[in-house]
């Protein structure tokens, strides 16, 4: 390989600090590039939805059912045109990586459109989608922990970084409460719940019956937390009320966690019994077309019954039923999506691509797609709502993708996937990161107070 020598101007070479910094920058260029990209995204966020709206103006939301359906038909067409066969090793697996990303992409598009157009009539469907996201938290992490048997702090902090890095800076920059972006603490809590379930006494996980015992204990804890008087919930979470409260109470946190409090646990159950389900759908049912049709018919009947007797209720009645019934459409979707062998390896690249940036599109929808905490629509072309919709949508997705790539680069820099550092060393390094952020926050706070006094 060719070697290149870095030559600095003579005046710079005299400064040892400059030489050290430049060499450090070259060695860690990807990290600095990611930081600058993230800074750009946050700057745009501040300009569009900070104390003063620059370049944009708010517009009232308008819902038209015909256009809402038409728009989703366009998304469906694009999804069909990008339908390709998965060539990865897990292409024939149930809920392969591409298939779960596709699933998230479907839900995220409908979720954001629901907010953008204020489509209140699909509220119950959105509740199912959020439940499915939480379900995947239990399923995906349990599958990883059981198969990889990795429970180190590097994995723990890496996931916490991924879930909270962007929302931390957004809350800090715009002075927003964390519960405005409730999905982030919701997934954080249920990830920690999953991590604790399988991480405690993990050396015994492969002993016969231990997984079942852990599932029972984990389920019982959820019952104690959510099926008992609300005072128990508040007693547990009150020490964190400074982070999780909204308008001075924990009502919002209680409401959001209660809605999907069994979803993660059900995802964990599915992950534990994944292999028998997979073998039944792919091996036992192979060449048994009639049986597949019967199972598909049963699933469709279950979905129809759920729709008639659960989904069609008003939002308040439905919310009370949701934690105990959401598994019906989730499980039926999994079966119908995977029961037919020719369909299973295929996925939509468009939907899978959108599914990768769900966290970023969720956070940025409040400030780059809509503004004023998603109460109004961001407008750059007044009086031309369709043209405005197209331009803003492209910009919003593009910025979300940049933030996604930057966050992943930083996560791999601070918490490399294959790191061999000991837990104590990772912990010490993380404390240094936190100390630096704390100092920067204090300095910026003092500066802001100085300018506000002037």
């Amino acid at each position: 390989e060719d070697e290149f020598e870095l030559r600095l101007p003579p005046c710079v070479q005299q400064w040892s600090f400059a030489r050290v910094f430049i060499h450090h920058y070259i060695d860690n260029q990807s990290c600095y590039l990611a930081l600058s990209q993230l800074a750009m995204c946050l700057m745009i966020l501040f300009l569009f939805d900070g104390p003063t709206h620059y370049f944009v103006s708010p517009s009232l939301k308008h819902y038209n059912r015909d256009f809402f359906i038409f728009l989703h038909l366009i998304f469906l067409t694009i999804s069909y045109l990008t339908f390709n066969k998965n060539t990865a090793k897990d292409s024939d697996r149930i809920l392969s990586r591409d298939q779960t990303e596709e699933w998230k992409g479907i839900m995220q598009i409908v979720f954001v459109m629901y907010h953008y157009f204020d489509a209140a009539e699909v509220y119950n469907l959105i509740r199912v989608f959020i439940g499915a996201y939480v379900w995947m938290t239990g399923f995906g992490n349990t599958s990883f922990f059981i198969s990889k048997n990795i429970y180190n702090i590097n994995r723990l902090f890496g996931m916490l970084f991924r879930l909270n890095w962007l929302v931390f800076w957004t809350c800090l920059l715009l002075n927003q409460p964390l519960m405005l972006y409730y999905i982030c603490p919701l997934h954080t809590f249920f990830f920690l719940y999953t991590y604790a379930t399988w991480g405690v006494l993990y050396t015994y996980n492969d002993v016969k019956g231990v997984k079942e015992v852990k599932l029972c204990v984990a389920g019982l804890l959820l019952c104690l937390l959510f099926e008992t008087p609300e005072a128990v919930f508040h007693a547990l979470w009150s020490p964190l009320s400074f982070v999780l409260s909204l308008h001075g109470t924990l009502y919002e946190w209680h409401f959001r966690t209660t809605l999907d409090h069994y979803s993660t646990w059900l995802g964990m159950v599915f992950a534990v019994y994944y292999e028998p389900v997979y073998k039944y759908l792919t091996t036992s049912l192979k060449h048994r077309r009639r049986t597949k049709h019967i199972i598909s018919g049963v699933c469709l009947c279950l979905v129809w019954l759920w729709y008639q007797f659960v989904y069609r209720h008003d939002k308040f009645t439905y919310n009370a039923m949701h934690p105990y019934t959401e598994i019906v459409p989730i499980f039926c979707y999994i079966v119908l999506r995977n029961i037919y062998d020719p369909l299973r390896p295929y996925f939509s690249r468009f939907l899978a691509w959108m599914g990768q940036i769900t966290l970023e599109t969720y956070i940025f929808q409040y400030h780059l797609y809509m503004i004023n905490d998603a109460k109004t629509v961001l407008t750059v072309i007044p009086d031309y709502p369709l043209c405005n919709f197209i331009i803003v949508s492209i910009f919003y997705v593009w910025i979300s993708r940049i933030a996604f790539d930057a966050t992943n680069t930083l996560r791999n820099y601070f918490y490399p996937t294959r790191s061999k550092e000991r837990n104590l060393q990772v912990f010490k390094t993380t404390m240094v990161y936190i100390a630096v952020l704390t100092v920067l926050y204090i300095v910026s706070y003092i500066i802001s107070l100085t300018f506000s006094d002037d």
Side-chain angles (χ1 to χ4, degrees):
E1 295 183 2
D2 296 333
E3 293 185 0
F4 299 91
E5 181 182 356
L6 178 65
R7 293 186 177 181
L8 302 175
C11 60
V12 177
Q13 288 183 357
Q14 297 176 4
W15 304 339
S16 59
F17 173 78
R19 293 199 306 272
V20 171
F21 175 78
I22 291 173
H23 282 290
H24 183 269
Y25 170 79
I26 293 173
D27 293 338
N28 302 276
Q29 189 173 0
S30 61
C31 175
Y32 284 105
L33 179 61
L35 286 172
S36 63
Q37 289 173 336
L38 189 68
M40 180 198 70
C41 294
L42 293 171
M43 180 185 69
I44 293 171
L45 214 67
F46 184 81
L47 292 175
F48 281 16
D49 200 24
T52 303
H53 300 314
Y54 296 93
F55 318 118
V56 300
S57 58
S59 298
L60 295 177
K61 296 182 180 181
H62 175 69
Y63 177 63
N64 180 286
R65 180 187 290 177
D66 181 45
F67 180 72
F68 188 77
I69 296 173
F70 172 75
L71 189 62
H72 284 83
L73 289 176
I74 293 177
F75 290 135
L76 186 63
T77 303
I78 297 173
S79 303
Y80 174 76
L81 293 175
T82 59
F83 213 56
N84 292 285
K85 189 171 185 179
N86 184 356
T87 57
K89 293 181 179 179
D90 66 345
S91 61
D92 195 50
R93 302 289 288 179
I94 295 174
L95 296 176
S96 63
R97 181 63 178 267
D98 288 326
Q99 193 182 115
T100 53
E101 297 290 10
E102 174 196 76
W103 189 7
K104 289 193 290 184
I106 296 170
M107 297 188 295
Q108 188 66 8
I109 289 173
V110 181
F111 181 69
V112 173
M113 292 301 102
Y114 156 78
H115 275 160
Y116 189 89
F117 293 102
D118 197 17
E121 65 177 327
V122 297
Y123 170 87
N124 293 352
L125 181 63
I126 299 304
R127 292 265 61 84
V128 176
F129 287 171
I130 295 174
Y133 278 122
V134 179
W135 183 93
M136 278 190 267
T137 295
F139 169 76
N141 285 291
T142 298
S143 299
F144 175 86
F145 290 137
I146 290 177
S147 61
K148 302 295 185 181
N149 204 35
I150 297 176
Y151 301 93
N152 55 36
I153 290 182
N154 188 74
R155 167 70 181 178
L156 172 64
F157 286 172
M159 278 299 298
L160 295 179
F161 182 94
R162 172 72 185 100
L163 290 171
N164 296 283
W165 174 254
L166 183 60
V167 74
F168 167 78
W169 289 109
T170 303
C171 290
L172 200 63
L173 182 69
L174 300 178
N175 194 27
Q176 295 285 6
L178 179 62
M179 282 307 299
L180 177 65
Y181 320 95
Y182 68 89
I183 289 291
C184 298
L186 186 70
H187 281 287
T188 299
F189 165 57
F190 283 113
F191 164 72
L192 292 173
Y193 167 79
T194 306
Y195 179 84
T197 300
W198 305 114
V200 174
L201 301 176
Y202 68 91
T203 54
Y204 296 94
N205 284 346
D206 292 330
V207 176
K208 185 177 180 180
V210 169
K211 291 187 182 72
E212 287 74 12
V213 171
K214 285 193 170 188
L215 286 174
C216 290
V217 172
L220 180 61
L221 289 175
L222 290 178
C223 289
L224 292 174
L225 185 59
F226 294 103
E227 306 294 349
T228 53
E230 198 171 319
V232 176
F233 180 92
H234 284 276
L236 177 66
W237 290 107
S238 57
L240 294 175
S241 59
F242 69 99
V243 175
L244 299 173
S245 63
L246 185 66
H247 306 306
T249 72
L250 287 171
Y251 170 81
E252 186 71 10
W253 177 239
H254 180 261
F255 172 70
R256 298 297 179 182
T257 51
T258 301
L259 279 173
D260 300 298
H261 62 272
Y262 288 127
S263 293
T264 295
W265 183 80
L266 290 169
M268 291 161 59
V269 172
F270 189 87
V272 169
Y273 296 103
Y274 174 88
E275 287 300 329
V277 175
Y278 170 71
K279 289 179 181 178
Y280 180 75
L281 290 179
T282 59
T283 304
S284 302
L285 292 181
K286 199 172 186 66
H287 306 305
R288 298 175 64 181
R289 184 175 298 178
R290 185 177 179 181
T291 305
K292 291 181 179 180
H293 292 340
I294 293 173
I295 294 174
S296 299
V298 170
C299 288
L300 291 173
C301 288
L302 287 173
V303 172
W304 181 82
L305 290 171
W306 169 82
Y307 173 80
Q308 289 291 332
F309 298 103
V310 179
Y311 181 85
R312 295 180 65 182
H313 285 291
D314 64 90
K315 62 185 292 185
F316 301 105
T317 305
Y318 176 80
N319 282 343
M321 305 170 71
H322 173 76
Y324 315 101
T325 59
E326 61 181 321
I327 191 58
V328 174
I330 292 173
F331 185 73
C332 288
Y333 171 81
I334 295 170
V335 173
L336 293 172
R337 180 67 177 82
N338 291 278
I339 195 169
Y340 294 103
D341 298 337
L343 179 63
R344 192 183 312 118
Y346 283 83
F347 73 103
S348 167
R349 292 191 182 276
F350 165 68
L351 292 175
W353 190 86
M354 290 296 297
Q356 292 177 343
I357 56 175
T358 51
L359 181 62
E360 289 70 26
T361 52
Y362 169 75
I363 295 172
F364 284 167
Q365 69 173 323
Y366 290 95
H367 310 292
L368 286 182
Y369 206 35
M370 295 157 273
I371 53 179
N372 298 321
D373 302 341
K375 295 181 179 68
T376 54
V377 173
L378 186 150
T379 305
V380 293
I381 310 178
D383 303 322
Y384 290 88
L386 296 183
C387 294
N388 182 80
F389 171 77
I390 292 172
I391 292 174
V392 173
S393 296
I394 293 172
F395 182 76
Y396 157 70
V397 172
W398 176 57
I399 294 297
S400 297
R401 186 71 198 193
I402 291 174
F404 166 80
D405 291 335
T407 302
N408 272 343
T409 299
L410 292 172
R411 176 192 174 179
N412 292 330
Y413 178 82
F414 293 121
Y415 301 102
T417 304
R418 298 182 180 180
S419 173
K420 295 182 179 180
E421 289 187 350
R422 295 184 176 183
N423 288 340
L424 182 60
Q425 182 60 41
V426 174
F427 181 79
K428 287 180 179 178
T429 305
T430 301
M431 291 302 104
V432 172
Y433 297 153
I434 293 174
V436 171
L437 290 175
T438 303
V439 171
L440 290 175
Y441 174 77
I442 293 173
V443 171
S444 63
Y445 182 72
I446 293 172
I447 293 173
S448 66
L449 287 179
T450 303
F451 280 101
S452 62
D453 291 340
D454 294 339

